[in-house]
């Protein structure tokens, strides 16, 4: 019994040290991750999109070393640990090919940067929204109605991405219908005055008002302007609201669909 006490004391000592190492290492990994995220957020050279991945890599790199140190405390050989991790990594890699594809796709998204945090994008056929985060496995978007949309990185990478925010300016086309019989030239002048006086319409490229189509009872006039990307939707809503009001003040009436119905009237011969 007495011979067993030193071994039990040694085991208890190692267990306490291992627990302390694990707790402290886990806490330090979280602290280091937050520090990296804070420093990266302050630097103008670091893209905000890459910050979540830097945080994850920092945290789990430290935690892996902590786990190895804990196992080594109990006499497990480091070489055998690396061998086991290699074999386990190969098995897990074969079993989780989709997950590895997400990691690879996340790295490609961060390296080539077709999207960045804060930009409004559309993943064609999958969803659209403002980029909130590109993580190690998932990309998170915030849709215009405030709903969070989470997509696997591989799904984002393997589909066309339309980025609406990358350029500083965007072209806006607003169509207005003018009735046949109304003064078309007057309508063109009123719409031109409307867009030229709007504070969000950029002078270059020059705004245009043009006839683009003829339909059953109306002529379609297009207002083509350029606007800063941040003001796109505000200008779009303003032009749609004010265009018909401007035409109404000029004496032009709102176009109403008109259909002509021709009915054949039977001819009745007079009785003899």
């Amino acid at each position: 019994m007495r011979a067993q006490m030193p071994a039990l004391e040694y085991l208890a000592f190692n267990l306490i040290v291992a627990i302390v190492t694990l707790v402290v290492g886990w806490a330090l990994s979280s602290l280091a991750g937050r520090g990296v995220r804070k420093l990266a957020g302050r630097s103008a050279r670091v893209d905000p999109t890459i910050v979540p991945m830097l945080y994850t890599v920092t945290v789990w790199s430290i935690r892996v070393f902590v786990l190895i140190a804990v196992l080594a405390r109990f006499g497990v050989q480091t070489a055998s640990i690396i061998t086991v991790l290699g074999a386990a990594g190969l098995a897990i890699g074969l079993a989780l090919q989709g997950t590895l594809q997400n990691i690879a796709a996340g790295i490609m998204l961060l390296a080539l940067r077709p999207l960045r945090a804060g930009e409004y994008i559309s993943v064609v056929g999958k969803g659209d929204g403002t980029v909130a985060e590109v993580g190690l496995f998932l990309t998170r978007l915030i849709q215009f109605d405030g709903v969070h949309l989470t997509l696997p990185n591989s799904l984002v990478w393997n589909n066309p991405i339309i980025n609406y925010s990358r350029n500083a300016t965007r072209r806006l086309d607003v169509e207005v219908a003018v009735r046949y019989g109304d003064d078309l030239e007057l309508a063109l002048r009123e719409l031109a005055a409307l867009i030229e006086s709007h504070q969000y319409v950029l002078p270059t490229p020059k705004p245009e008002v043009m006839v683009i189509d003829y339909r059953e009872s109306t002529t379609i006039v297009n207002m083509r302007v350029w606007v800063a990307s941040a003001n796109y939707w505000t200008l779009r809503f303003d032009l749609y609201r004010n265009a018909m009001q401007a035409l109404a003040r000029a004496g032009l009436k709102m176009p109403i669909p008109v259909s002509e119905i021709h009915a054949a009237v039977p001819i009745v011969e007079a009785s003899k």
Side-chain angles (χ1 to χ4, degrees):
M1 185 68 179
R2 291 180 180 179
Q4 294 177 353
M5 288 301 295
L8 293 175
E9 291 176 359
Y10 181 74
L11 179 61
F13 176 76
N14 283 341
L15 184 60
I16 293 173
V17 172
I19 293 174
V20 172
T21 302
L22 192 62
V23 172
V24 173
W26 226 255
L28 287 177
S29 67
S30 299
L31 184 62
R34 288 195 296 268
V36 168
R37 184 166 56 188
K38 188 175 181 179
L39 290 174
R42 289 179 177 179
S43 176
R45 298 182 179 180
V46 179
D47 193 321
T49 312
I50 202 174
V51 174
M53 186 172 288
L54 287 176
Y55 172 82
T56 303
V57 171
T58 301
V59 169
W60 283 104
S61 296
I62 296 175
R63 288 179 179 179
V64 167
F65 283 110
V66 169
L67 290 174
I68 293 176
V70 169
L71 292 175
R73 187 70 191 179
F74 290 99
V76 180
Q77 297 297 323
T78 305
S80 62
I81 295 175
I82 296 175
T83 303
V84 171
L85 289 177
L90 179 61
I92 293 172
L94 293 175
L96 302 176
Q97 294 183 18
T99 302
L100 295 179
Q101 288 178 2
N102 289 328
I103 296 175
I107 294 173
M108 295 302 295
L109 289 173
L110 294 173
L112 300 181
R113 298 185 178 181
L115 52 90
R116 296 175 183 173
E119 292 182 334
Y120 190 88
I121 68 162
S122 174
V123 181
V124 177
K126 306 303 176 184
D128 51 19
T130 302
V131 180
E133 176 185 329
V134 178
L136 196 60
F137 303 101
L138 304 170
T139 297
R140 186 163 58 89
L141 306 178
I142 302 177
Q143 300 182 113
F144 69 93
D145 55 359
V147 176
H148 285 232
L149 174 64
T150 302
L151 298 173
N153 287 338
S154 59
L155 194 64
V156 178
W157 176 251
N158 291 326
N159 284 280
I161 300 172
I162 301 176
N163 193 320
Y164 294 100
S165 302
R166 182 59 55 90
N167 292 338
T169 60
R170 290 180 61 184
R171 195 185 81 185
L172 170 62
D173 291 87
V174 175
E175 296 183 358
V176 180
V178 178
R179 293 195 320 168
Y180 290 145
D182 282 349
D183 190 338
L184 180 59
E185 294 301 321
L186 175 60
L188 294 174
R189 289 195 299 271
E190 291 295 327
L191 295 177
L194 174 64
I195 61 176
E196 289 173 1
S197 62
H198 201 288
Q199 60 176 334
Y200 290 148
V201 174
L202 299 178
T204 305
K206 185 178 179 181
E208 297 178 283
V209 179
M210 66 200 84
V211 176
I212 61 170
D213 196 8
Y214 296 102
R215 296 181 185 169
E216 292 183 0
S217 58
T218 58
T219 301
I220 304 301
V221 177
N222 182 50
M223 295 182 290
R224 175 171 294 174
V225 299
W226 285 82
V227 58
S229 297
N231 299 326
Y232 178 87
W233 289 106
T234 301
L235 178 59
R236 180 182 176 89
F237 296 148
D238 281 353
L239 292 183
Y240 270 113
R241 181 186 64 188
N242 295 325
M244 296 308 299
Q245 296 178 1
L247 295 181
R249 287 193 297 268
L252 303 178
K253 297 180 180 180
M254 182 179 294
I256 300 175
V258 177
S259 300
E260 294 184 3
I261 300 176
H262 298 274
V265 179
I267 299 175
V268 180
E269 295 182 357
S271 59
K272 296 180 179 181

